[in-house]
Amino acid sequence: MSTLTAPSHTVEPVVEAPRGRRPHTRRRHGFGFWAVAFAFLSVMAFATVPAPLYVIYQARDGFPTFTTTVVFAAYGVGVVAALYLAGHLSDVHGRRPLILVSIALELVAAVLFLLWNDVSGLIVARLVTGLGVGLLTATATAHLGELRVRATGSPSSAAGAGVVAGVVNLGGLSLGALVGGALAEFVGQPLMVPYVVFVVALVVAFAVVLAAPETVDRPSSPVAYRPQRLQAPEGKGAAFWAAGTAAFAALAVQGLFTSVAPTFLGTTFHVTDRLAAGATTFGVFAASAVSQIVFARLAQRAQIRLGMVLLVGGLVILAVAAVLLQVAGFIGGGVIAGAGVGLLFRAAIGSAGALVEPARRGGVLAATFLIAYAGLTVPVVAVGAALLVLPTLPVLLGYVVFVIVLAVVAGSRLAARA
């Protein structure tokens, strides 16, 4: 007597769903992983599209460099506000809803850029852009790890998802600057076409994220709202603050190249080409993304130490090139520093996320990103204020010294705990 059994390959394995959520197959979770990665990439790229366009706005409206830093600071304020008020809410309400709200905010910002592009409009648009980014960063980072584990069935695959999250985060920032600069240089209507292109990308991102599975349990009882606390997990304060400070230092380098670096190129080196401005920012952020891939197999402590060497060495080259008026050295130093930023930033976020269990990871990551984006904003505003009373070169050199000291101190502490 024989028995008939269905071929095992005809039944798609179903992953156990979080409480109150619909179950999905591993293949669907794999699709969701790439859908969220695409959305993450699109939002982060949109965040840097205006970087090479500031010189056009500035030439058209005649505002000083300090106004550029105020416009950029509005973005940072939006990021920090969203992280503080809502960056942790995905631990309770789910990852997907917050990602969808983030994309919707970026679409609103794109419309503002298109319809209201004087200085006041730019400030509002950048504020809304920052709000969307603040909602997304910690949420998407946590969601990618959870989707990857469910798609593969292996908890160890979360490490690979962390690499993808870091690459998409910083790689998206590099892509946006390059696309914005290229479109501004080679296509008509440079203050319109880049935003139209990203409206299309963001609409596609919204659509594909709708199909991504949710990975967070619905609470069995209502959870009282509270803002994000800048509080370390119990008994892990030193490790948390080391990670946060390292992330602050890393993004302080990126802040330089998404705000006032194009102005430095124009005033110090007389480089006013829009593509060159975008390509410079692209090079720094692309190096951050590529270094995470190239050195992914190194132990975390080795990554941190290499990141410190590259960041410090690159900034020293950049400073010397600024003194000697060597534009190639200025850009090359930025790229080298960017590679160090990628390693240091990824190690900081990975260290912070590993301090708690998955159910609390969104909140801890949101707190770490909150500290990090303060590094993207506060030093840049200080640079803008300093430029009102000091020449460009001393301000740049002072910024470099500040970031080097902070990176060495924070990176050393982070490496000691790796």
Side-chain angles (χ1 to χ4, degrees), residues 28 48 67 71 94 116 173 183 188 205 209 256 301 325 339 342 345 352:
R28 184 68 171 270
T48 53
T67 302
V71 174
W116 184 21
L173 293 170
L183 291 175
V209 169
L256 178 69
R301 182 173 296 175
L325 297 179
F345 183 74

Side-chain angles (χ1 to χ4, degrees), residues 18-361:
R19 184 191 312 114
R21 308 292 184 182
R22 178 183 172 187
H24 293 283
T25 62
R26 285 186 177 177
R27 181 178 297 176
R28 184 68 171 270
H29 283 82
F31 168 82
F33 175 84
W34 293 112
V36 171
F38 174 75
F40 201 173
L41 180 75
S42 300
V43 170
M44 300 311 293
F46 178 72
T48 53
V49 165
L53 307 181
Y54 287 141
V55 291
I56 305 176
Y57 291 117
Q58 191 171 3
R60 185 194 67 183
D61 297 336
F63 53 76
T65 300
F66 178 69
T67 302
T68 300
T69 64
V70 171
V71 174
F72 178 80
Y75 164 76
V77 168
V79 174
V80 170
L83 284 166
Y84 177 69
L85 297 173
H88 59 300
L89 295 184
S90 70
D91 283 345
V92 176
H93 300 293
R95 313 296 187 203
R96 191 176 65 172
L98 263 71
I99 294 174
L100 292 172
V101 171
S102 166
I103 299 170
L105 285 169
E106 301 308 316
L107 285 167
V108 171
V111 173
L112 289 172
F113 276 119
L114 290 168
L115 301 181
W116 184 21
N117 60 9
D118 60 11
V119 171
S120 56
L122 291 177
I123 291 172
V124 174
R126 289 301 280 164
L127 177 67
V128 175
T129 301
L131 290 172
V133 170
L135 282 179
L136 182 76
T137 48
T139 302
T141 300
H143 202 192
L144 285 172
E146 294 157 359
L147 286 167
R148 191 63 176 168
V149 169
R150 285 164 170 77
T152 62
S154 170
S156 63
S157 64
V163 174
V164 172
V167 170
V168 166
N169 190 336
L170 296 175
L173 293 170
S174 71
L175 182 64
L178 182 65
V179 170
L183 291 175
E185 186 67 24
F186 299 119
V187 178
Q189 297 181 298
L191 301 182
M192 179 176 292
V193 174
Y195 302 116
V196 172
V197 168
F198 274 91
V199 165
V200 175
L202 291 166
V203 168
V204 173
F206 191 94
V208 296
V209 169
L210 283 172
E214 183 53 71
T215 55
V216 171
D217 287 332
R218 285 192 175 126
S220 55
S221 58
V223 178
Y225 169 78
R226 62 169 177 78
Q228 171 66 47
R229 297 175 183 174
L230 268 181
Q231 183 176 355
E234 187 175 353
K236 299 178 180 178
F240 173 79
W241 287 108
T245 308
F248 181 103
L251 289 200
V253 177
Q254 308 298 53
L256 178 69
F257 283 91
T258 53
S259 58
V260 295
T263 301
F264 281 132
L265 284 172
T267 57
T268 303
F269 300 110
H270 307 293
V271 176
T272 57
D273 183 88
R274 300 160 188 170
L275 181 58
T280 299
T281 304
F282 168 80
V284 174
F285 281 95
S288 299
V290 171
S291 67
Q292 295 181 58
I293 299 172
V294 172
F295 300 109
R297 294 186 180 276
L298 286 181
Q300 188 176 67
R301 182 173 296 175
Q303 288 189 36
I304 294 168
R305 288 174 174 169
L306 178 59
M308 290 168 56
V309 170
L310 291 172
L311 188 151
V312 172
L315 287 180
V316 169
I317 293 172
L318 179 148
V320 172
V323 172
L324 300 179
L325 297 179
Q326 295 293 321
V327 66
F330 183 87
I331 296 173
V335 170
I336 294 170
V341 164
L343 294 175
L344 192 60
F345 183 74
R346 178 179 175 271
I349 298 303
S351 297
L355 295 176
V356 295
E357 67 277 7
R360 297 174 55 203
R361 191 163 292 151

